[in-house]
Amino acid sequence: MRRGERCFILGANGAGKTTLVKMLMGYAWPVYGAEVNVLGCRFGSTNLVELRKRIAWVSPCMQQFTSTEWSGLEMVLSGIDGTLGLFRKPLETEITAARELMARFRCEHLADQQIFTMSSGEQVKILIARALMTKPELVILDEPSVYLDLAGREFLLNEIAAIAAKLPDVTIIFITQRIEDIMPAFNRGMIIADGRILYCGDREQVLTEENLRTAFGLPVRLVRNRAGRLWAWLE
């Protein structure tokens, strides 16, 4: 990927999407034959702790690593240090910035609530606000809308599109199993299955009925709405 690109990764459950992300973050390693380079850093000869501070990662699977003691505000503030949870006293300016981000994603009312008492959708909003506390060079959104209801999902997708528009130099990877979640801003991407890339390239070349039928093994038909989003239905 080139700097500033918006790339989607589409695949069914078990296709290897999250495993790929864990490799990009240095939490999983290829068994053999592969070299991983992220933001110009070659894994095996770079400081992964420092590299992760340049990457904003949002994934529902992060929730399993969150301690029950952290509040929503503390979790958002922890994004500054690239940790899951706050381990120092924050500055007043940092608290103000965190509260402003929480207000943007409609989760400011969760500031004092413990993470483990929140719904899955509320936790995802907290994690997105956390991810944007720094100025990341790479944003990885790993199925961020999977636990959201219809209204919450549409709100989040519109916010992601707005982030893509406002941060032209930031590279964004959007991972999903739902075709309709891929906003028009994501103009390049790939479809993966069984741990392999089936198709890769420009959006219009990748998201075709023929490719989707092969990838998912279903008689998929596509409908495009006026906003440019694609919706799938079965014959």
Side-chain angles (χ1 to χ4, degrees):
M1 292 181 63
R2 294 184 294 272
R3 179 184 177 91
E5 279 192 337
R6 283 83 175 87
C7 178
F8 64 85
I9 300 176
L10 175 68
N13 286 332
K17 303 186 299 297
T18 298
T19 299
L20 176 58
V21 173
K22 289 180 178 178
M23 289 177 61
L24 294 176
M25 295 295 296
Y27 294 124
W29 290 78
V31 177
Y32 56 85
E35 181 178 303
V36 182
N37 289 276
V38 178
L39 297 178
C41 299
R42 182 180 181 274
F43 284 20
S45 60
T46 191
N47 186 326
L48 289 176
V49 174
E50 292 302 316
L51 176 62
R52 289 172 188 143
K53 293 179 181 179
R54 301 163 60 191
I55 304 172
W57 178 34
V58 178
S59 173
C61 76
M62 294 173 66
Q63 298 165 14
Q64 63 184 298
F65 304 119
T66 59
S67 171
T68 57
E69 66 184 86
W70 306 119
S71 68
L73 179 60
E74 289 171 330
M75 185 57 63
V76 173
L77 284 165
S78 74
I80 299 172
D81 299 325
T83 58
L84 285 174
L86 190 63
F87 298 94
R88 63 173 175 82
K89 184 177 180 180
L91 303 174
E92 285 301 320
T93 53
E94 294 172 336
I95 294 174
T96 299
R99 290 188 179 277
E100 288 176 351
L101 270 174
M102 294 178 76
R104 175 176 178 178
F105 289 98
R106 301 179 184 176
C107 59
E108 66 271 26
H109 62 289
L110 302 172
D112 298 320
Q113 186 172 331
Q114 291 179 304
I115 289 289
F116 82 101
T117 66
M118 300 178 190
S119 70
S120 297
E122 289 172 335
Q123 290 177 357
V124 167
K125 290 181 180 180
I126 291 292
L127 291 174
I128 289 178
R130 171 192 171 277
L132 296 178
M133 275 300 291
T134 59
K135 295 181 179 179
E137 297 173 53
L138 171 63
V139 176
I140 302 175
L141 303 170
D142 185 5
E143 301 196 65
S145 62
V146 68
Y147 293 132
L148 299 178
D149 58 27
L150 180 59
R153 183 185 71 169
E154 291 303 309
F155 168 77
L156 178 61
L157 292 176
N158 286 329
E159 282 297 314
I160 290 172
I163 291 169
K166 293 177 182 178
L167 302 175
D169 293 331
V170 176
T171 306
I172 304 177
I173 299 175
F174 182 78
I175 300 167
T176 184
Q177 56 181 295
R178 297 191 295 213
I179 300 160
E180 63 270 19
D181 283 2
I182 304 173
M183 302 295 280
F186 294 89
N187 55 1
R188 289 184 59 79
M190 64 176 67
I191 300 175
I192 66 175
D194 299 322
R196 297 179 179 275
I197 300 173
L198 297 185
Y199 308 101
C200 181
D202 293 336
R203 176 191 181 92
E204 298 301 321
Q205 295 174 328
V206 173
L207 295 180
T208 67
E209 292 178 351
E210 182 180 356
N211 290 352
L212 294 169
R213 291 182 181 192
T214 300
F216 291 93
L218 294 170
V220 176
R221 296 296 301 270
L222 292 175
V223 176
R224 187 188 305 269
N225 68 8
R226 284 181 288 183
R229 288 169 66 185
L230 294 170
W231 300 78
W233 60 282
L234 302 182
E235 290 182 331

